[in-house]
């Protein structure tokens, strides 16, 4: 009963023992599903957090790289004197160094807190800075020693996005499919066309599955196809339409592929037995 969708209403005249078994199956089904979604939702939440953190890291990193590039491209290079270094400790035990510098532009002294520090710096020592010609008080250290690390972090964040985003999209689609299965309307459609694009994502081909329902409506679904997935034109496929909005639907590609895999397995076994 669990595999036969226990939430579907039984026809009139169904024996009482079957109705009791159905009620038990529904109870077990929802308990199992509740526990399953607890685990899955935690994974989805953790992946969403990873995606948000990766996006923030990319934005901050790109801004830092562009900012450094602007100083190097438009700024004037000069030598500054280190006038003070303040050492402090943060609450997490890290040691912070605040470096103050001064430099001369057209006989006028400018200075302030430097945006970087390294162990070679000392009071009275020299360091190189870039300042903006229209505003010498706007300056930046010429030691862009943080840029390689920032570039590596950006690359790592991009990798996280490439891995996590498809997973999150997949889980959101599963939740939507489950909702429409329970609350929506089942429409049996026929695969009419598979439109493959020249775009590839994660070594998969972007495609659009076009289906015609028995209700004479067209249903489409974006897909990422790998070598093992094969949609056959003319095959039936289930479409679940939202009960509240007929324009919202989802094509059950997962169910179709499972049925197709089972069919191929049966055909293979029959050929072996033959």
């Amino acid at each position: 009963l669990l595999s036969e969708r226990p939430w579907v209403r039984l026809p009139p005249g169904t024996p009482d023992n079957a109705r009791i078994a159905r009620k038990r199956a529904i109870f077990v089904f929802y308990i199992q599903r509740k526990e399953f979604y607890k685990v899955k939702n935690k994974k989805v939440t953790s992946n969403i957090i990873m995606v948000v953190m990766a996006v923030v890291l990319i934005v901050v990193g790109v801004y830092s790289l562009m900012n450094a590039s602007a100083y190097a491209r438009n700024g004037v290079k000069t030598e500054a004197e280190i006038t003070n270094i303040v050492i402090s400790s943060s609450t997490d035990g890290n040691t912070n160094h605040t470096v103050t510098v001064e430099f001369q532009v057209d006989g006028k002294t400018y200075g302030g807190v430097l945006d970087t520090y390294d162990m070679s710096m000392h009071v009275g020592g020299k360091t190189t800075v870039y300042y903006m010609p229209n505003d010498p008080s706007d300056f930046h250290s010429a030691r862009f020693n943080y840029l390689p690390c920032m570039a590596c972090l950006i690359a790592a964040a991009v990798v996280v996005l490439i891995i996590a985003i498809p997973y999150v999209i997949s889980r959101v689609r599963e939740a939507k499919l489950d909702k429409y299965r329970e609350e929506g309307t089942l429409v049996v459609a026929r695969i009419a066309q598979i439109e493959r694009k020249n775009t590839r994502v994660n070594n998969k081909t972007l495609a659009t599955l076009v289906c015609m329902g028995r209700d004479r409506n067209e249903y489409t679904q974006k897909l990422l196809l790998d070598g093992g997935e094969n949609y056959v034109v003319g095959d039936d496929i289930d479409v679940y339409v939202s009960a509240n909005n007929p324009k919202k639907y989802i094509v059950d590609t997962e169910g179709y592929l499972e049925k197709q895999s089972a069919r191929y397995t049966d055909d293979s076994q029959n050929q072996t037995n033959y």
Side-chain angles (χ1 to χ4, degrees):
L1 284 174
L2 285 175
S3 62
E4 294 296 331
R5 303 174 188 164
W7 56 83
V8 177
R9 290 186 178 181
L10 296 175
T14 302
D16 291 340
N17 59 345
R19 293 184 180 277
I20 294 172
R22 174 179 173 271
K23 290 181 180 179
R24 290 175 179 171
I26 291 175
F27 176 76
V28 173
F29 173 81
Y30 281 106
I31 292 296
Q32 290 178 341
R33 193 185 66 164
K34 185 177 180 181
E35 295 301 319
F36 171 75
Y37 279 108
K38 278 184 180 179
V39 176
K40 188 163 72 170
N41 288 339
K42 287 181 180 179
K43 292 182 179 179
V44 174
T45 302
S46 62
N47 276 270
I48 291 175
I49 293 173
M50 288 175 60
V51 169
V52 172
M53 292 177 63
V55 170
V56 171
L57 184 57
I58 290 174
V59 171
V60 173
V62 170
Y63 173 80
S64 299
L65 293 176
M66 293 178 64
N67 191 45
S69 176
Y71 279 101
R73 186 175 61 254
N74 303 320
V76 178
K77 197 174 185 178
T78 190
E79 196 172 65
E81 181 181 356
I82 300 173
T83 58
N84 192 22
I85 299 178
V86 177
I87 303 175
S88 59
S89 297
S90 60
T91 55
D92 55 3
N94 293 327
T95 302
N96 301 317
H97 296 78
T98 304
V99 182
T100 307
V101 299
E102 289 182 352
F103 55 92
Q104 299 287 324
V105 178
D106 297 331
K108 189 175 179 180
T109 301
Y110 295 90
V113 176
L114 200 61
D115 52 7
T116 188
Y117 168 81
D118 64 50
M119 295 183 65
S120 65
M121 292 181 176
H122 60 277
V123 176
K126 302 292 183 180
T127 187
T128 307
V129 298
Y130 284 104
Y131 68 87
M132 291 300 183
N134 58 342
D135 182 13
S137 62
D138 182 9
F139 64 94
H140 191 286
S141 173
R143 300 185 181 187
F144 300 119
N145 48 1
Y146 63 89
L147 294 185
C149 180
M150 185 62 68
C152 291
L153 289 176
I154 292 175
V158 170
V159 171
V160 169
L161 286 180
I162 293 173
I163 295 174
I165 286 180
Y167 177 84
V168 172
I169 293 175
S170 175
R171 298 291 82 79
V172 171
R173 173 180 161 77
E174 285 183 9
K176 182 179 177 182
L177 178 59
D178 288 339
K179 179 181 178 181
Y180 284 8
R181 273 176 174 168
E182 294 180 30
E183 303 174 358
T185 303
L186 170 62
V187 175
V188 178
R190 181 158 293 177
I191 298 176
Q193 187 180 3
I194 301 96
E195 300 174 353
R196 287 179 170 83
K197 312 295 183 181
N198 293 325
T199 306
R200 293 184 66 83
V201 179
N202 288 348
N203 292 324
K204 294 185 178 182
T205 303
L206 185 64
T208 301
L209 182 68
V210 182
C211 309
M212 293 300 300
R214 293 181 181 175
D215 57 358
R216 299 185 182 278
N217 289 325
E218 182 180 275
Y219 301 96
T220 60
Q221 183 73 51
K222 299 292 185 182
L223 301 172
L224 284 176
L225 298 177
D226 58 26
E229 295 178 347
N230 185 29
Y231 293 86
V232 180
V233 174
D235 274 3
D236 287 344
I237 190 168
D238 292 342
V239 179
Y240 293 92
V241 183
S242 171
N244 301 322
N245 187 353
K247 294 183 179 180
K248 293 183 178 181
Y249 61 86
I250 187 167
V251 181
D252 188 7
T253 54
E254 291 83 356
Y256 170 81
L257 293 175
E258 288 177 4
K259 292 177 182 177
Q260 190 187 55
S261 176
R263 183 174 61 193
Y264 286 160
T265 301
D266 292 341
D267 291 344
S268 176
Q269 290 178 348
N270 291 335
Q271 291 177 2
T272 302
N273 292 335
Y274 178 76

